[in-house]
Structures are given as C-alpha cells and as structure tokens.
Amino acid sequence: MMTQLNLRKTGQLGLIAGIVVLSVSAIGMVKTFDERDIITGVLTLGQLLLYSAPLIAGYMVWDRKEDVSKGIILSRGLIVGFLAALPVIGLIFLTLLWPTIRNALVNVSPALIEILTFGQGPVVGSLILLGVMTLWGVVGAAFHILPEKVKKPLFTGVVWVISVGLLSEILLLILRPYVPRNVQKIFLARRGLRWERPFSFSSSPSPSTSGGMRVARPPIKRQSSAWTIAKRNGCAHSTSAWASFLSSSCPSSSALISPKSSTSWVFLSSWAWVSTSSSVLPGC
Amino acid sequence: MSNRFREVDYIGIILWVFRAVVIGIVIYGIIKKIFFGVGNQYDFKTWMDFFVSGVAQGSLYALIALGYTMVYGILFMINFAHGEFFMSGAMTATVFIAASLANSGFLDEQPFISLVLITIASVVTAIGISLLTERVAYRPLRNAPRLVPLITAIGASFFWQYFFRGLFGSAIIPFPVPEALDGRWLILGYPILKTRVIVMITAFISLIALNMFIKQTKTGKAIRAVAEDKDVAALMGIDVNRTISLTFAIGAGMAGIAGVLWGLVFKQVHFYMGFVPGIKAFTAAVLGGIGSIPGAAIGGLILGIVEAVGPPLFLEGLGISGAHQLKDVIAFMLLVMILIFRPQGIIGEVLREKKA
C-alpha cells in the first residue's frame, strides 16, 4: 500500500504545488487576479490560480505506465492536495505571529488573508482551505479515473468556461451588434460569466453563499428574450430556455440539461460536451 | 593587380583603423588632462580614492563574474539570470536578517557576527534560487540548441526580477551598515573607507579560496573534468548533473557574498540591482577570458579600475562635462572592443569550435 502510494514522489509534488501556491500568493498575484471574475460571485481568477496548483499536481500523481488501483490514485491526489495547502496555511498563521509581516512581504495583505481564509478567520478559514485544496487534489487525480468519453468533453467544457469567463468583456463588445442585450445578459456579466439561479418567477432574488462568503447575486431579469423564445417554442419549464438555445445547434442535446442546472457555466460545459462528443449523443 | 586588391581584408583594415582611432582618442584625452590641465584638477589623494574605489568595485565585479565564467566553462551558456541570484541574496538577507538585526541593535553591538549571519542568509538564498533555476529552466534544455538556453536565461532573469519585486516591493530598501564600519582606516598613510577595505579583503579571500577549491579538491577536479568533456567525465563515474548543480551553487554563493558587500558599499538594495552589475560582470568575464577563473578576477579588477579612473582621466581631458555619468559607456565600449579585437579575453584560450 505504502509502496503503491509512492509517498516520496507524491509528497514532492504536493510540496511543489504548495510552494507554487505560496509564491503566487506572496507576490500578490492571487490578490490582483481576485479582482477579475471567471463566474461572477462564484469563481475569480485569483481562486482559479490558487486551486490550479493542487489540481494540476493531483493530475500528475499517476503515470500511465503504473498499474495501480483507482483508490490509490485518489489517495495520492488527496495527499497532494493536503500537502499543497500546508505552506499557505503556514503563511496564514505566520501573519498572526508576525503582525508586521507586510513590512517585509509587501503583498501579504489583510485582503490576501481574507481571500485565503474565505473570510472565516485563520483557524476555520485554514481548515476550509485545507479541505478545498485537498478536494482539488482529489479532483485532479480523479480525472484519470473518468472514462475517456467523459474526460475529454469535460476538459473542453472547463476550458471553454474559463476562456469565455476571461474574455467576457471582449465577447460583450463583439456580440453587441449581433445578439440582443438581454440575451447577452443571460450568460455574460460585465466581468465574467453570469451565475444565475434557475429562472424563477419569484419577485426578489435571494442572496446565497459561495466559497464561504456571502455573495449578493444580481437580480434576475424575468422576461428575457431567451425566455420569450423558449416560451414561444412551447417550453413550459424555465430550464428549457437554455435547452432551446442549445437545441438550435443540436436538437437532442436538451436531454443533457437537468432542471436544476440551468446556469450559464453548465450550459457552456454542456455545449462543449455536445460539440466534442457526438458519439455520446447519437443524432447530433 | 586586381587579384591583389581582392586579397586585401577590408574589414580587417576598417577594424584596425577603428582601434587606432579609439586608442588615439584615449591617449589624446590623457595628454590633454595631464599636460594641459583640461577639466577638474585632482590631487594625488583624490586619484588614490578613484583607484581604491575602482579596485573595490572591481572586486565586486570579479565575485559576480565568477558565476558567469564557471557556468560558461561547464555548460557553454551565458547565464543571464546570474545577476538575479546576486540580487535575490542581497534583498532577502536585507529584508529578513539585516533589518531585524539593525532594529534590535545587535548589528551595532556585534557587527562581525551580524555580517556573517547576513552573508549566510544571502548565500543560502542565492544558492537556492540558482539551484531552482538550473533544475527547472536549464536542465531540461541541456541538449537543446545553444540559443534556447540563452533565451531561457533572459526569461529567467526577468522572472526573478519581478518575482522579488512582487515579494519585497519596488521601493529602494536601505541596507543597514554597522556603526563600526563608518569612517576610514589609514592604510599606508592613505585614509580608505572601511567598507571598501572589507569588500577588497573579502573578495580577495573568496577568490583565493575558490581557486584552491577548484584546483586542489576532488570536487574541483570533477568540475574541471565535466567542463572538459561531459561524456568522458560521466564514463569516469562523475555525476554530471550533480557537478553542474554544484557549479551553479558555487557561482551563486559568490554572488550572494557580493550582494552583501554591494549593500555595504551602496547602503541600499532593490529588485533591479542585479541587472547592471550582472551585465558589467559579464563584461568582466569576457574581458578576462570567459571560462577562466583567474581571468574573471583580473577582468573584474581592470573593469572596475577603468570605470573609476577612466572618466576623470581621459573623458574630462576630452572636455566632456559630467564624465562620471559616462562610466557605463566606458565599460560597454570596453566590451565591444574586446569582442572585436580579442574575443578570447586577456588570459583566455582560443576556444575550439565546440566551446566557442
């Protein structure tokens, strides 16, 4: 078991990821990138930077030549994620022991600590960070376990979500002449993708929590153009607006959209999924 | 007759004329300064000051140049990130150790122990950064065309510059100098700044120690063997990768020492401090003969002295005002001249095709 875990390599990967996370935090990249949304109110570029190290390190724990069980691969991912969190947790506690640390490391600011601890204080925040990083390590490792039919479209979907989120400002400009403003607003916010709850007819949008912080989500415009189109097509359920939009390129892909997943990023993931895995969906 | 014209090397003639003109201008400037008293007049004590300042500056160049020359000797690549090893050590030691020691008052109470601690911090940081750079940026490119690691080195240099800018900020950070090193010592009847004396002595000891290490230890022999032929060295049982890493570490260690000495002389550090001294040290390494350790030392000293004495001696003689601001022009002009007329440097060997 211990031999299969390959603790030396796994530990090395975890610590390298941890040092990368610590470095990008200490030089101010996380704080600066945090001002940029990928999915508004859900995921910022700073968080993406923070989580990408354990994710990538988790992905690197397994070599195709190795013959090990899925449990071992996931365990390695778990160790990598756990170790990746330790240096940055060390930094969080160092700020408690050395309050004037900013005199030396100018970018270790209270705002950075707030981001790293999800605004929950050093102890609870560190535990959450440990959990989240460990989870990302496992997610990275789990990528190997997924069947090829799922892995590729999922990867493409994630890349599309990140790309569209990053380029949202440019996309808004490009789409302006061709796509009605209301349709744009369905999935694009001013900076990043728009995170919406499923279309509902309730009068007041409720704030929700994400990543440990309370995020006030923008009010949902009720009768959007997409919704109108969907309704005209006879789609009674709110989610069908997405399905309708999606089915314009692939009629059978609406089956992928569950009523609870009508968010823009799921839409994009699904769209990418559909476009890259025609074998999954006969008839596309 | 026409064949004779064809055999004439016109480029060679132009270069000879260029050399004659440059030497002529320098001699003209010196004569005007010495015999016609053009520009400011300096007494002997001031000239000595220029000279000592040049030797101290040259010692620093020599220490940094060792890293360039050793890495070139073993890998045949110019490690442009070497200036950043120098900067990283100095900045980290200043921010974490020197500032704390100064605030606690320990720096003034125990200047020697404090300087040793600061130097250890600087050397360890510089070695760490150099080993990381070698492992991540250079080792994977060991068999790549020679232009590739060169470009990577420039990239690594920028990476470390801006990494440390992010870490410690872009402000100039004061380097605390112990009170014991304020003032001057009388040496042979001439008052010389204490910091300069410390710089010269430390640099001299470091250079001698390094030379002995390379010539008299087994590890030094291994380094020389790898520099001569990596494949044969590997066949003899030498761990080539380890030896290359060790070479980087030794060069960075010298740069770390130079970083602290630089702080003592200029009393400040900042994230950009590695760039110009790095290029100057490269000039010194080329001047002495790149690949040669004594060459780097001699090149550094000559460059430092020419930089310090040159502007008041011949630039002022040519009637140029503010001549000291043009010391970089002299340094880089020297580099150009050396590359044109004696590419192998002062004591360098004519390199084989493989090394050149």
Side-chain angles (χ1 to χ4, degrees):
Chain A
M1 173 73 177
M2 297 303 272
T3 322
Q4 281 192 320
L5 275 176
N6 198 355
L7 279 177
R8 190 176 169 186
K9 190 195 166 193
T10 312
Q12 267 182 357
L13 270 174
L15 287 176
I16 289 170
I19 289 166
V20 169
V21 171
L22 181 70
S23 302
V24 293
S25 303
I27 64 172
M29 279 177 81
V30 170
K31 165 75 180 57
T32 309
F33 282 22
D34 203 58
E35 287 156 20
R36 176 83 212 199
D37 288 339
I38 301 287
I39 304 167
T40 309
V42 177
L43 181 70
T44 64
L45 193 57
Q47 287 169 328
L48 184 73
L49 190 68
L50 206 60
Y51 305 142
S52 57
L55 186 77
I56 294 167
Y59 182 76
M60 288 168 73
V61 292
W62 181 67
D63 192 343
R64 279 175 196 277
K65 293 169 197 162
E66 283 181 289
D67 185 22
V68 287
S69 67
K70 290 175 182 175
I72 292 288
I73 296 173
L74 290 178
S75 306
R76 285 183 185 175
L78 190 120
I79 295 168
V80 160
F82 183 85
L83 289 175
L86 293 183
V88 82
I89 288 173
L91 179 72
I92 292 167
F93 283 98
L94 188 66
T95 56
L96 296 178
L97 297 170
W98 185 11
T100 56
I101 191 171
R102 216 176 167 191
N103 292 344
L105 303 171
V106 291
N107 281 306
V108 181
S109 59
L112 173 72
I113 302 302
E114 185 85 1
I115 294 164
L116 294 177
T117 57
F118 303 91
Q120 301 295 318
V123 178
V124 179
S126 297
L127 287 174
I128 295 172
L129 184 71
L130 191 70
V132 171
M133 298 281 255
T134 308
L135 184 71
W136 281 112
V138 174
V139 169
F143 217 70
H144 291 293
I145 295 168
L146 293 172
E148 202 63 35
K149 277 183 180 177
V150 179
K151 200 192 304 184
K152 201 177 168 189
L154 185 66
F155 177 75
T156 315
V158 170
V159 170
W160 268 100
V161 168
I162 293 169
S163 310
V164 173
L166 271 178
L167 303 173
S168 59
E169 279 173 277
I170 300 167
L171 279 175
L172 276 172
L173 281 174
I174 294 170
L175 292 176
R176 190 172 288 166
Y178 311 109
V179 181
R181 203 177 176 81
N182 286 339
V183 177
Q184 287 176 26
K185 278 185 175 177
I186 295 169
F187 61 96
L188 288 175
R190 186 178 287 177
R191 283 183 177 179
L193 286 167
R194 188 182 291 278
W195 169 269
E196 301 279 20
R197 297 183 69 189
F199 283 90
S200 70
F201 294 102
S202 63
S203 56
S204 60
S206 59
S208 63
T209 55
S210 113
M213 286 182 288
R214 289 187 74 77
V215 178
R217 288 176 182 153
I220 300 163
K221 203 155 189 157
R222 269 191 272 159
Q223 293 278 338
S224 65
S225 315
W227 167 249
T228 318
I229 296 161
K231 209 174 174 188
R232 201 189 305 143
N233 290 344
C235 302
H237 198 279
S238 61
T239 318
S240 306
W242 291 113
S244 163
F245 200 86
L246 191 61
S247 60
S248 63
S249 58
C250 176
S252 62
S253 61
S254 57
L256 282 169
I257 314 280
S258 73
K260 288 181 181 174
S261 63
S262 62
T263 53
S264 53
W265 64 279
V266 171
F267 155 66
L268 277 167
S269 303
S270 312
W271 187 31
W273 190 314
V274 169
S275 61
T276 53
S277 63
S278 53
S279 59
V280 179
L281 298 166
C284 282
Chain B
M1 185 70 183
S2 60
N3 280 346
R4 273 191 181 181
F5 272 114
R6 273 181 211 156
E7 284 165 15
V8 174
D9 179 8
Y10 293 106
I11 301 290
I13 291 171
I14 291 167
L15 288 177
W16 270 100
V17 170
F18 178 64
R19 175 150 59 174
V21 168
V22 171
I23 291 169
I25 289 172
V26 170
I27 291 170
Y28 177 75
I30 292 170
I31 290 169
K32 290 272 275 183
K33 177 78 185 180
I34 293 172
F35 298 108
F36 299 97
V38 177
N40 300 327
Q41 292 306 303
Y42 305 106
D43 56 10
F44 186 73
K45 189 172 153 285
T46 315
W47 282 112
M48 274 302 287
D49 253 2
F50 286 139
F51 182 76
V52 171
S53 145
V55 174
Q57 188 73 8
S59 309
L60 291 174
Y61 291 151
L63 276 180
I64 307 171
L66 286 172
Y68 279 103
T69 214
M70 286 177 73
V71 168
Y72 186 86
I74 206 159
L75 281 180
F76 314 125
M77 67 165 276
I78 308 292
N79 176 22
F80 280 113
H82 188 68
E84 271 44 70
F85 303 160
F86 156 79
M87 173 274 291
S88 66
M91 277 198 88
T92 310
T94 307
V95 170
F96 286 114
I97 308 292
S100 311
L101 292 175
N103 289 339
S104 66
F106 189 80
L107 187 75
D108 292 328
E109 284 170 20
Q110 297 289 341
F112 180 74
I113 297 172
S114 300
L115 283 177
V116 169
L117 288 175
I118 293 167
T119 309
I120 289 170
S122 176
V123 168
V124 168
T125 311
I127 288 176
I129 296 291
S130 77
L131 290 179
L132 190 64
T133 311
E134 193 274 324
R135 181 68 191 85
V136 176
Y138 299 151
R139 195 178 292 181
L141 304 172
R142 196 72 41 89
N143 298 317
R146 292 179 63 178
L147 198 60
V148 178
L150 190 78
I151 294 165
T152 308
I154 295 168
S157 168
F158 280 112
F159 172 81
W160 286 122
Q161 255 179 42
Y162 288 93
F163 182 87
F164 279 92
R165 181 184 185 270
L167 213 56
F168 300 130
S170 55
I172 290 172
I173 303 166
F175 185 93
V177 178
E179 279 173 8
L181 294 183
D182 284 343
R184 292 166 186 259
W185 277 315
L186 269 179
I187 294 172
L188 301 173
Y190 295 103
I192 299 174
L193 283 172
K194 287 178 182 175
T195 48
R196 284 183 184 157
V197 177
I198 297 286
V199 165
M200 287 186 281
I201 292 172
T202 314
F204 184 73
I205 292 170
S206 306
L207 290 168
I208 297 288
L210 179 69
N211 206 35
M212 283 171 70
F213 175 80
I214 295 292
K215 289 208 168 146
Q216 291 176 13
T217 62
K218 266 192 175 179
T219 318
K221 268 184 192 169
I223 290 174
R224 281 185 287 147
V226 173
E228 200 59 44
D229 196 317
K230 282 192 220 29
D231 297 331
V232 176
L235 287 173
M236 298 295 156
I238 295 168
D239 186 340
V240 173
N241 278 334
R242 195 169 156 271
T243 309
I244 291 171
S245 296
L246 188 71
T247 309
F248 268 85
I250 293 168
M254 291 292 160
I257 295 171
V260 176
L261 298 177
W262 192 276
L264 280 176
V265 172
F266 294 100
K267 297 178 177 58
Q268 62 181 38
V269 292
H270 57 101
F271 80 99
Y272 205 60
M273 67 180 276
F275 182 71
V276 173
I279 300 288
K280 295 270 185 74
F282 169 64
T283 307
V286 174
L287 182 63
I290 197 151
S292 152
I293 290 172
I298 291 168
L301 283 175
I302 291 175
L303 182 68
I305 292 166
V306 169
E307 239 188 41
V309 179
L313 188 61
F314 60 82
L315 286 187
E316 281 190 14
L318 293 170
I320 296 169
S321 55
H324 267 289
Q325 292 172 18
L326 297 174
K327 64 177 188 169
D328 289 353
V329 174
I330 293 178
F332 296 124
M333 193 69 192
L334 203 60
L335 176 66
V336 172
M337 299 287 283
I338 282 288
L339 285 175
I340 291 174
F341 298 112
R342 199 174 161 81
Q344 71 270 32
I346 295 168
I347 57 169
E349 56 180 14
V350 180
L351 299 175
R352 285 173 286 133
E353 182 65 27
K354 189 182 148 196
K355 282 191 179 184

